[in-house]
Amino acid sequence: MTALQQLVRVENGTVVADSRDVAEAFGRQHNNVLRDIRTLLDQRPDLALTFERKVAQVEIGSGAQRTTHYYTMNRKGFVVLVGGFKGERALDFRIAFYDAFERMERTIAAMEAEAAALSAPERPSIMDDRDRLRDAIAFVRAAQIAKRCPVARRAWTVAGLPDVFTGDAAIETFGAAGDVDPVVTAWAEDRLEQAHGQRTPTCILFEDHQHWCNAQGIRPAGARGFSQALTAMGVIGFKSSRMQRLNVRLRTMGAV
């Protein structure tokens, strides 16, 4: 049986389902699913762009093969095809496929936003900006003094300066640099922790951000804004087989 998390895949930048997986999940003969697709295309030629006919070689024994075909379909094609399917678990599988489409599309959006953020011009190093360097040194000195004086620490908080006196200071001061979405900053303070050498996929962080916002009853940042906020907060990003962030992880996660 096809695992629910593997119901869809990405082909040429588009999330698609396979007619063979649809047949297996819904307990139908693949030939019947192909017949239903051909009927749809005959009735509605405008659906041609939602289905793509593919050819495959099938082993038939003794090293022999025969040519068969199947269809891939985007989310619209899938919804149209299975809308009339009946059966005890038909509704469950329709929802499972639809959720798989949405998860994969969110992942692609997050990866594209990450790629765009990484390709943006880098901000000049602080060592090349005398004003920024002077301000940073002054900030550190002031924090060192305030840390030893409770009154100064209270004044520091009242002034709206970032809290650099409690644990995970690097995470808690993310919002201090630049114009960062306060929702992403709040999520980072609650959900992220430093982990030297840890590599965490950006799409995992983005999904957690969405779940966290839903639990808080607030609107999450978009994929592009989320990625840009992480970069602005100093969370290092890089691309290997997928977009990842370095030296941070979710508080409830182990090593990835």
Side-chain angles (χ1 to χ4, degrees), residues 35-87:
R35 179 201 61 203
D36 292 343
I37 293 174
R38 288 193 294 267
T39 299
L40 284 172
L41 294 176
D42 288 339
Q43 294 175 346
R44 294 290 300 270
D46 57 304
L47 292 176
L49 294 179
T50 68
F51 295 95
E52 184 175 354
R53 190 175 185 270
K54 300 290 185 72
V55 176
Q57 298 296 320
V58 179
E59 297 286 344
I60 59 176
S62 301
Q65 294 182 329
R66 67 178 175 86
T67 300
T68 185
H69 73 275
Y70 63 98
Y71 283 90
T72 58
M73 66 204 78
N74 61 18
R75 176 159 54 168
K76 178 181 178 179
F78 168 78
V79 172
V80 172
L81 173 64
V82 306
F85 283 7
K86 306 296 182 183

Side-chain angles (χ1 to χ4, degrees), residues 219-233:
R219 184 177 179 179
R224 181 180 179 84
F226 176 78
S227 181
Q228 290 175 335
L230 288 183
T231 300
M233 291 188 291

Side-chain angles (χ1 to χ4, degrees), residues 3-189:
L4 292 182
Q5 64 268 29
Q6 298 176 338
L7 293 177
V8 299
R9 61 179 182 268
V10 179
E11 288 188 0
N12 299 321
T14 301
V15 183
V16 298
D18 188 313
S19 60
R20 296 169 296 186
D21 294 335
V22 172
E24 182 178 359
F26 285 87
R28 301 170 71 89
Q29 292 293 322
H30 187 228
N31 285 337
N32 292 337
V33 173
L34 295 178
R35 179 201 61 203
D36 292 343
I37 293 174
R38 288 193 294 267
T39 299
L40 284 172
L41 294 176
D42 288 339
Q43 294 175 346
R44 294 290 300 270
D46 57 304
L47 292 176
L49 294 179
T50 68
F51 295 95
E52 184 175 354
R53 190 175 185 270
K54 300 290 185 72
V55 176
Q57 298 296 320
V58 179
E59 297 286 344
I60 59 176
S62 301
Q65 294 182 329
R66 67 178 175 86
T67 300
T68 185
H69 73 275
Y70 63 98
Y71 283 90
T72 58
M73 66 204 78
N74 61 18
R75 176 159 54 168
K76 178 181 178 179
F78 168 78
V79 172
V80 172
L81 173 64
V82 306
F85 283 7
K86 306 296 182 183
E88 183 178 350
R89 298 195 62 193
L91 178 60
D92 292 339
F93 281 115
R94 281 201 295 270
I95 294 173
F97 266 93
Y98 194 85
D99 288 345
F101 268 105
E102 286 198 326
R103 284 196 301 271
M104 187 64 75
E105 287 169 351
R106 287 198 303 267
T107 298
I108 291 175
M111 293 174 66
E112 289 176 346
E114 176 73 0
L118 290 178
S119 63
E122 294 186 3
R123 189 179 183 186
S125 168
I126 192 172
M127 301 304 294
D128 298 326
D129 189 327
R130 299 176 65 88
D131 291 337
R132 286 178 59 205
L133 182 59
R134 183 176 59 251
D135 291 344
I137 293 173
F139 180 87
V140 172
R141 287 175 176 170
Q144 290 175 333
I145 295 172
K147 185 175 183 179
R148 297 191 294 268
C149 177
V151 175
R153 289 180 60 173
R154 285 195 295 273
W156 185 283
T157 302
V158 170
L161 294 171
D163 181 4
V164 293
F165 307 115
T166 55
D168 288 341
I171 298 297
E172 295 174 2
T173 58
F174 279 157
D179 184 15
V180 179
D181 188 332
V183 174
V184 180
T185 302
W187 165 82
E189 292 175 352

Side-chain angles (χ1 to χ4, degrees), residues 166-240:
T166 55
D168 288 341
I171 298 297
E172 295 174 2
T173 58
F174 279 157
D179 184 15
V180 179
D181 188 332
V183 174
V184 180
T185 302
W187 165 82
E189 292 175 352
D190 186 46
R191 298 290 295 129
L192 289 186
E193 63 181 6
Q194 292 178 297
H196 183 69
Q198 180 78 28
R199 299 182 177 187
T200 305
T202 301
C203 60
I204 298 297
L205 298 179
F206 181 58
E207 284 192 8
D208 185 85
H209 168 70
Q210 291 182 308
H211 292 317
W212 182 87
C213 288
N214 290 336
Q216 304 295 322
I218 57 179
R219 184 177 179 179
R224 181 180 179 84
F226 176 78
S227 181
Q228 290 175 335
L230 288 183
T231 300
M233 291 188 291
V235 183
I236 301 172
F238 68 98
K239 183 176 182 180
S240 54

